[in-house]
Amino acid sequence: MEPNPPKASTARSVLDRVKVLVPTGQDLAQIAAATPLVPFSEPARAFVQRLSAAILGDIGFRPYPEMIAFAHWMRRARIQELAAEFDRRRNGAVWQGRGLAFHIAPANVDTIFLYSFMLSLLMGNANVVRLSSKRSAQVEAALALIDRILGERGMEPVRARLALVGYDHDDEITGALSARCDLRVIWGGDETVAAVRRLPLPPNARDLCFPHKWSVSVFDAAAYLGHNGKDELVRRYVNDTYQFGQMACSSPRMMIWRGTAADCAAAGDDFWPLLERASARFDTGLAAIDFVNKRVAEDQIAMARSVSVRQGAGNLVNVVRFTTLESLPLEEHCGAGLFYECTIADLEPLRRFMGRRLQTVVSHGISKAEWTSFLAAGGVRGIDRIAAVGKALEFATVWDGHDLMREFIREIAVDP
């Protein structure tokens, strides 16, 4: 027997406590009752393309590279590519949106909600997005722009199926929204995921979770030493690491050099000074507390393990060199330019090191064929993606091992 749904009056009174940020005057109960649009509907495409063009054309967004990256990823040509891929993959099958998707956005990478609900919208779903109270200036600017676009002529179908909301941590509100959704998308740390998953879903709904993970980089030392464009390579690496204070799940926390001992030592001696110079543009984003946190982390590690510490000239780059990959403290990491370093003779030690928490490996000098061969041999419990330098933060429709286009839709079997 299915559990009794909450009384309509009670659920409505809970939802009345929710602050709808965008669009102005939205009714959450009506969104829950909205029927799905067809995947890649014209209204959804028009909204996404309009938002992308508006961000790219607004000089106010130029200081925010993550917003420019989002707008470029959602440009008209990219949406056309996604639609063509969608049609190819479904191959005549009937795919429809699941219904109402309830997204819980993280605080550390607060622009991820844009990709999340945009892809869900393109798949046909209505969307309610709970945003963190710690919203950045770029997110506030994006909210104002979205609200304005939703008020334009022709945007009514999207407006009727979207609400970006804010409220303090409140299980009653989250529970009321969860009780109405068909898919709950949880971005955040392990505690957030566990707390939300304790709140029940309707019997036919499901969770899609993106918990805490961490990432590393693996460079072939000889390839790095022989690389002609080191300055540009290091600049791209800085973008991978410092853009969100090194706290994005896909930002590398460690440099692993592959090669001879001599090459690895020479590569590290060359790389870290270049990184320190290239990261100078993020200097204003680091505070005195970041310096303290890094020093405390270094001291704690040095007391427990055999390591050496490379101190930078300022507050930008701190390197802790380990002698082995075993049991590294990658989960307890303060970010802000703290890097662990280790060397390996070949890729084999990575097989034991790649636990389920490992999301991204930023790779240089190791071919796709070599990675494919290594991974195809099995024995790797974790790792979700291999990315080129400069691509760690670039979003993809397959994220953390989940095929988002497939997760956001359901298939209707037609076999009369």
Side-chain angles (χ1 to χ4, degrees), residues 23 29 45 54 72 111 133-134 142 159 172 176 178-179 183 213 223 234 237 255 312 327 334 375 391-392 409:
R45 286 198 198 202
H72 183 74
T111 53
S133 59
K134 302 175 182 178
R159 181 185 177 90
E172 192 175 16
S178 297
L183 177 67
K213 291 192 175 182
V234 173
Y237 192 83
M255 171 63 79
S327 302
C334 62
L375 295 170
K391 302 290 187 179
I409 58 96

Side-chain angles (χ1 to χ4, degrees), residues 323-382:
T323 58
T324 175
L325 284 175
E326 301 298 329
S327 302
L328 297 183
L330 282 159
E331 294 189 34
E332 296 80 29
H333 193 277
C334 62
L338 175 64
F339 295 90
Y340 303 153
E341 184 183 38
C342 195
T343 65
I344 55 177
D346 52 53
L347 297 182
E348 192 57 32
L350 296 176
R351 206 174 299 281
R352 298 185 304 276
F353 172 72
M354 289 180 169
R356 193 63 195 94
R357 294 284 191 181
L358 179 57
Q359 188 212 59
T360 298
V361 171
V362 175
S363 172
H364 174 73
I366 303 170
S367 69
K368 180 178 180 179
E370 189 173 359
W371 277 120
T372 300
S373 176
F374 169 76
L375 295 170
V380 175
R381 295 184 62 247

Side-chain angles (χ1 to χ4, degrees), residues 152-302:
E152 295 176 358
R153 185 175 180 179
M155 295 297 170
E156 294 83 3
V158 176
R159 181 185 177 90
R161 292 169 173 82
L162 176 62
L164 307 179
V165 306
Y167 59 87
D168 293 331
H169 291 290
D170 188 317
D171 283 353
E172 192 175 16
I173 294 175
T174 301
L177 291 169
S178 297
R180 292 168 175 260
C181 75
D182 300 284
L183 177 67
R184 186 167 58 185
V185 186
I186 311 170
W187 301 83
D190 293 358
E191 292 182 1
T192 297
V193 172
V196 174
R197 291 183 75 172
R198 284 195 291 267
L199 303 174
L201 288 169
N204 291 323
R206 61 180 298 183
D207 277 326
L208 178 59
C209 300
F210 299 92
H212 174 67
K213 291 192 175 182
W214 44 263
S215 299
V216 302
S217 49
V218 180
F219 279 30
D220 182 84
Y224 169 78
L225 290 170
H227 189 66
N228 290 327
K230 289 179 185 174
D231 288 338
E232 174 60 20
L233 181 73
V234 173
R235 186 194 67 80
R236 296 200 306 268
Y237 192 83
V238 166
N239 289 339
D240 287 338
T241 50
Y242 285 84
Q243 202 166 116
F244 294 100
Q246 206 183 5
M247 296 309 291
C249 289
S250 54
S251 292
R253 299 180 174 189
M254 181 174 193
M255 171 63 79
I256 302 172
W257 298 104
R258 192 272 299 268
T260 66
D263 281 348
C264 291
D269 289 343
D270 184 85
F271 178 82
W272 297 117
L274 288 180
L275 183 69
E276 192 160 9
R277 289 197 293 272
S279 60
R281 60 193 171 95
F282 287 94
D283 193 20
T284 56
L286 300 182
I289 189 62
D290 294 313
F291 178 81
V292 173
N293 288 339
K294 287 186 285 188
R295 281 299 179 91
V296 169
E298 290 172 357
D299 291 344
Q300 289 177 335
I301 294 169

Side-chain angles (χ1 to χ4, degrees), residues 73 89 106 109 112-113 115-116 119 185-188 208-213 215 240 244 248-251 356 358-360 383-387 391-408:
W73 200 88
R89 292 178 59 187
V109 185
I112 197 72
F113 81 93
Y115 295 96
S116 184
L119 278 175
V185 186
I186 311 170
W187 301 83
L208 178 59
C209 300
F210 299 92
H212 174 67
K213 291 192 175 182
S215 299
D240 287 338
F244 294 100
C249 289
S250 54
S251 292
R356 193 63 195 94
L358 179 57
Q359 188 212 59
T360 298
I383 188 172
D384 296 317
R385 59 196 283 254
I386 309 286
K391 302 290 187 179
L393 300 177
E394 189 172 290
F395 196 73
T397 56
V398 176
W399 196 256
D400 275 14
H402 299 289
D403 184 339
L404 296 185
M405 283 206 294
R406 200 66 180 87
E407 296 283 356
F408 286 143

Side-chain angles (χ1 to χ4, degrees), residues 21-24 47-61 64 67-68 70-71 113-114 117-118 137-152 155 159 162 164:
L21 304 170
V22 173
T24 305
F47 170 73
V48 174
Q49 292 165 6
R50 174 76 180 88
L51 179 61
S52 171
I55 292 173
L56 291 175
D58 187 341
I59 61 173
F61 283 102
Y64 309 122
M67 293 300 300
I68 301 301
F70 161 76
F113 81 93
L114 292 166
F117 93 79
M118 288 291 180
Q138 52 265 49
V139 167
E140 293 291 354
L143 293 179
L145 181 57
I146 291 170
D147 197 27
R148 188 170 77 243
I149 293 173
L150 288 174
E152 295 176 358
M155 295 297 170
R159 181 185 177 90
L162 176 62
L164 307 179

